[in-house]
Amino acid sequence: MPAAKRARSAKRASGKRAKTLVRITDYRGNRVGIDPRRVIKIREAGIADEPKDTVFIDYASGGTFARGTLAEIVPLFGAHIPLAALHAPNGMAIVLNADGIAAVEVDERYAGKSVAVVTTDFENVRVPARNKIALQETVKQAERAIEAARGAA
């Protein structure tokens, strides 16, 4: 029996679910495994001090710049988590883990028409401002996109 099949059989027998890792190449060329369930946001790199031709994969406590485009990276994670396609206030495409969003509301302290509020699983205790993601969409538009992503999963 091949090793991969033995591992799947052992996992089923133990009743435990193995941690799934999405393999990407970071901007330095290193292969990295990322638990898709920890990802809250994916966006193209676009800020002046970010590596060119990369995508930022954001988790609650940090992130990784991956080589590639949004079109290449998003499907890798979308196979594991429900992703909602939205936009930052400046129009930049962002993709959110729909299961990581607790609510969408208006917060005048943030740019954009609404903010996505992360669930407690994705809270950043060190930087509370990261617990809200500013969006170009209205509350209704963002809620529809998030619910559609959850329904498609």
Side-chain angles (χ1 to χ4, degrees):
M1 178 183 302
K5 191 170 183 178
R6 278 195 311 272
R8 284 192 301 274
S9 295
K11 177 179 65 174
R12 277 194 300 272
S14 71
K16 293 182 181 177
R17 191 167 173 226
K19 183 186 276 190
T20 300
L21 296 177
V22 172
R23 304 269 179 217
I24 57 98
T25 302
D26 74 9
Y27 75 102
R28 292 185 175 132
N30 301 311
R31 293 292 290 166
V32 178
I34 299 172
D35 181 350
R37 294 168 298 173
R38 297 298 306 143
V39 172
I40 188 62
K41 178 175 65 178
I42 305 171
R43 65 167 173 79
E44 296 274 359
I47 299 172
D49 64 346
E50 295 178 340
K52 294 180 184 179
D53 303 320
T54 63
V55 172
F56 184 62
I57 302 166
D58 190 4
Y59 356 103
S61 61
T64 300
F65 288 97
R67 287 184 181 173
T69 65
L70 213 53
E72 294 166 340
I73 300 296
V74 166
L76 300 175
F77 290 90
H80 304 282
I81 57 175
L83 295 173
L86 296 159
H87 298 88
N90 67 0
M92 175 186 282
I94 60 173
V95 182
L96 302 182
N97 176 349
D99 286 344
I101 304 302
V104 180
E105 59 188 35
V106 174
D107 188 332
E108 299 299 329
R109 296 170 294 177
Y110 286 76
K113 297 177 184 162
S114 67
V115 292
V117 181
V118 302
T119 64
T120 56
D121 289 342
F122 290 92
E123 282 183 346
N124 187 317
V125 180
R126 291 177 290 154
V127 187
R130 290 190 65 201
N131 296 334
K132 293 184 178 182
I133 302 166
L135 301 172
Q136 185 180 65
E137 288 79 8
T138 65
V139 170
K140 289 266 189 235
Q141 291 169 327
E143 286 175 338
R144 278 196 297 268
I146 290 165
E147 287 306 316
R150 287 178 180 148

